[in-house]
Amino acid sequence: MFGAGGGTSSYQEVREVADLIVLWGSNAREAHPIWFHHALKAVNRGARLIVVDPRRSASAQWADLWLGIDVGTDIPLANAVAREIIHSGLANEEFVERATSGFEAFRDSVEPWTLEAAERVTGVPGDGIRELAHAYATAEHAQLCWTLGITEHHNGVDNVFALINLALLTGHVGRYGSGLQPLRGQNNVQGGGDMGAIPNKLPGFQDVEDDELRARFDSAWQATTPSKHGLHLSGMFDAMEHGELTALYVIGENPAQSEADQQRALRLLQGLDHLVVQDIFLTRTAELADVVLPASATWCEAEGTVTSSERRVQRVRKALDPPGEARDDIEIVYELGRRLGHDLGSPRPEDVWDELRSLSPMHAGMSYARLEELGGIPWPCWDESHPGEQFLHARLWEPEVAEQAPFHPVEHDPPVDALDDDFPLRLTTGRRLESFNTGVQTGGYSSPLHRGGSALRLAPEDGARYGVADGGRARIVSRRGEIETGVVYDTTLRPGLAFMNLHFPDEVETNVLTIDAVDPKSGTAEFKATAIRVEAV
């Protein structure tokens, strides 16, 4: 955010300083348990925890205040919080005037969102909205955190802008103890983006369309880097649909089971001229592949680095050799390059990292020796005397701010999959503490913790309304497909809201139901807002 794709604060600030933590669209207790331990330490020393979530999740059960929001109404709620802060005279006017731009347009955009209007649209009581607004504006140190509950919508980027607006309005960014944290849902998601595994950036978040920056990489790589932004994942599937993408190389991903509208994803993957999959398991996607390249488990069978949600780069050390014919990912990529007629240089992990440091200024000071000595370093780390920035955007508190942070007015745009008499229930999906993504790594062993993981969870009132018994079975139908599974009554759900996990696709193909409506800015599909009906079996 603000030009850098990472959270602004450290875990230490959450644990030791923050007096308010707002979890918005995040069940961090189950989806980000390591980070949540830091949050619990803050709660235990007296910090307030406020959770905004459609469900009264495991995280919300620790909260001082839970705001049970209707799915897809985050922007009205954020705009109402902003309006209440402004009308109550709680905005940080000095910070807004000195460090931000576009405030007047933003103020006008939130004006219609009175507490009463927001309550009608979001389902959150006006008193709760007021309490959140006043708590956030008056906290000395506040952390605003979110995850896929915010981003997996057709307007996920605008949802994030809505939250950033609140931080700018109150000055809760750019100083120790206050910040914004997009919690990363998988190991090294942050590191993947940092290394350039996104379609518009070179390593170090350097724009691929910048001729001067790109020339440095061309020189180092002895190749010509494409000068235009590439396709994000949803764009790739659209290109497959139109016959513009006919070959795919998949590394450590299982789109056959993780993509929204699973039937479409399978059809397009099966229609490719050539599919290569590099993975540690024979996933459902790998079963479709023309070539499977068995890779190493990076947590124990490879050397390298990993980057956490607090931007901290740490060493990973090899403990075991990969089994059988499996090989380190670096070895596979370098050998593939050689067979394609291009020598990629040294495949030694430290040499690869040093090349990265020579090209990415924000990693320049992170030698292996310093990473070992300091137990990890947060980026940016500009040189070998720099300790790494614990928090970002301190520049916003300088007397003269050269580049002001802009407000982004955003408007409410309801979920694409509308509710009606045929599809009256809103299905949202999420994670469990003991399971991981499509179950490739966690579904292969039996555990009592998996019990009920593939079930549809319903509010008892909805079970009675639709004649579906607790412990019974139901047919779940959306506008794209239908599945059958068990039913569990769940009192953490409000009437009208249903919930399913995504970890057990071999038992229940949840993503047959979900819609592939896509955010045009990020390419993220709207997993969180599917319209369904349920029928007893």
Side-chain angles (χ1 to χ4, degrees):
M1 65 194 74
F2 308 110
T8 72
S9 303
S10 65
Y11 297 166
Q12 178 181 328
E13 293 167 70
V14 173
R15 182 177 67 249
E16 298 181 359
V17 180
D19 52 348
L20 175 67
I21 300 168
V22 180
L23 271 178
W24 197 312
S26 171
N27 181 16
R29 175 68 185 88
E30 295 196 70
H32 308 89
I34 294 175
W35 179 89
F36 198 71
H37 279 301
H38 296 277
L40 285 180
K41 289 182 178 180
V43 170
N44 287 333
R45 66 166 169 78
R48 291 193 73 195
L49 175 63
I50 297 178
V51 173
V52 180
D53 197 297
R55 298 188 298 144
R56 190 172 181 271
S57 66
S59 302
Q61 291 168 34
W62 284 90
D64 298 277
L65 175 65
W66 167 55
L67 303 184
I69 186 175
D70 289 346
V71 173
T73 63
D74 301 280
I75 288 173
L77 179 59
N79 283 351
V81 169
R83 183 187 186 278
E84 175 65 18
I85 290 171
I86 293 168
H87 277 255
S88 298
L90 298 175
N92 190 327
E93 295 179 356
E94 187 277 332
F95 179 83
V96 168
E97 182 176 353
R98 177 178 46 79
T100 74
S101 63
F103 171 70
E104 291 78 11
F106 170 69
R107 180 187 58 203
D108 293 343
S109 74
V110 303
E111 186 58 30
W113 290 105
T114 64
L115 297 178
E116 295 76 19
E119 179 174 337
R120 286 194 300 272
V121 173
T122 68
V124 177
D127 288 345
I129 301 173
R130 181 186 294 108
E131 184 174 349
L132 170 58
H134 285 246
Y136 187 66
T138 60
E140 183 176 357
H141 300 293
Q143 295 287 339
L144 180 52
C145 315
W146 66 90
T147 52
L148 302 181
I150 283 293
T151 56
E152 284 190 341
H153 292 271
H154 75 285
N155 57 346
V157 171
D158 285 349
N159 286 343
V160 173
F161 282 149
L163 301 189
I164 293 174
N165 289 336
L166 296 180
L168 295 180
L169 184 62
T170 56
H172 282 312
V173 64
R175 57 192 177 91
Y176 185 77
S178 286
L180 295 151
Q181 294 207 19
L183 305 176
R184 302 307 193 185
Q186 300 169 46
N187 182 40
N188 209 29
V189 165
Q190 183 68 55
D194 297 350
M195 297 302 105
I198 41 182
N200 61 332
K201 298 293 183 182
L202 294 159
F205 297 105
Q206 300 175 86
D207 197 315
V208 74
E209 294 189 350
D210 185 310
D211 293 342
E212 184 176 344
L213 291 174
R214 197 174 60 255
R216 296 179 61 236
F217 287 85
D218 289 352
S219 175
W221 292 345
Q222 299 180 9
T224 301
T225 309
S227 60
K228 297 296 181 183
H229 293 171
L231 298 173
H232 50 59
L233 184 58
S234 297
M236 292 182 193
F237 276 93
D238 288 342
M240 292 181 216
E241 187 95 70
H242 298 119
E244 298 165 357
L245 192 157
T246 59
L248 192 66
Y249 183 10
V250 179
I251 303 178
E253 186 71 20
N254 186 23
Q257 294 184 307
S258 64
E259 280 300 286
D261 195 345
Q262 188 174 337
Q263 295 180 88
R264 174 180 182 257
L266 283 170
R267 172 174 57 81
L268 294 175
L269 290 169
Q270 290 168 337
L272 290 167
D273 291 345
H274 194 63
L275 174 62
V276 180
V277 173
Q278 181 172 319
D279 212 312
I280 62 175
F281 289 100
L282 189 67
T283 65
R284 180 71 181 92
T285 306
E287 290 175 350
L288 304 175
D290 299 284
V291 177
V292 177
L293 302 171
S296 59
T298 54
W299 67 273
C300 65
E301 296 171 355
E303 293 284 333
T305 61
V306 64
T307 309
S308 71
S309 289
E310 64 171 350
R311 299 169 285 103
R312 182 173 300 277
V313 179
Q314 296 170 282
R315 283 293 318 283
V316 175
R317 297 162 186 82
K318 181 177 179 179
L320 301 169
D321 289 327
E325 296 183 80
R327 299 172 66 177
D328 190 304
D329 290 276
I330 290 178
E331 293 180 18
I332 294 173
V333 171
Y334 272 70
E335 178 65 14
L336 184 59
R338 187 183 68 79
R339 296 195 184 197
L340 290 171
H342 191 84
D343 184 357
L344 297 176
S346 169
R348 184 169 167 264
E350 187 171 3
D351 293 339
V352 175
W353 180 251
D354 285 340
E355 177 189 282
L356 177 277
R357 292 172 56 217
S358 74
L359 294 168
S360 171
M362 73 184 205
H363 293 95
M366 297 185 184
S367 66
Y368 264 26
R370 293 194 76 220
L371 292 174
E372 294 273 10
E373 177 188 356
L374 300 176
I377 303 172
W379 62 254
C381 176
W382 306 112
D383 56 54
E384 294 203 26
S385 64
H386 193 280
E389 297 287 356
Q390 187 172 23
F391 63 94
L392 300 182
H393 312 307
R395 64 179 181 79
L396 295 175
W397 291 91
E398 295 173 356
E400 298 290 334
V401 179
E403 185 179 355
Q404 294 177 315
F407 281 93
H408 288 274
V410 287
E411 299 294 334
H412 178 41
D413 190 6
V416 173
D417 213 10
L419 300 179
D420 58 22
D421 291 342
D422 289 330
F423 300 98
L425 287 171
R426 180 66 71 194
L427 173 68
T428 192
T429 60
R431 295 175 174 173
R432 291 164 65 97
L433 177 62
E434 90 294 341
S435 296
F436 192 74
N437 280 14
T438 57
V440 172
Q441 297 180 63
T442 55
Y445 65 90
S446 60
S447 168
L449 296 175
H450 291 341
R451 189 175 296 123
S454 60
L456 171 72
R457 295 183 176 270
L458 282 178
E461 298 91 334
D462 287 328
R465 179 178 297 113
Y466 300 111
V468 179
D470 186 16
R473 293 188 66 79
R475 181 178 298 106
I476 311 163
V477 185
S478 77
R479 293 183 173 94
R480 286 151 299 282
E482 62 181 66
I483 59 175
E484 184 180 314
T485 190
V487 174
V488 173
Y489 284 2
D490 188 340
T491 57
T492 72
L493 295 171
R494 295 170 298 125
L497 180 66
F499 179 81
M500 290 189 73
N501 297 119
L502 49 87
H503 308 299
F504 307 94
D506 292 333
E507 299 176 37
V508 177
E509 296 178 325
T510 305
N511 285 2
V512 165
L513 304 171
T514 51
I515 189 171
D516 63 348
V518 171
D519 185 312
K521 299 172 184 174
S522 69
T524 303
E526 189 162 64
F527 286 96
K528 302 299 185 186
T530 303
I532 63 166
R533 67 174 180 268
V534 296
E535 304 165 352
V537 175

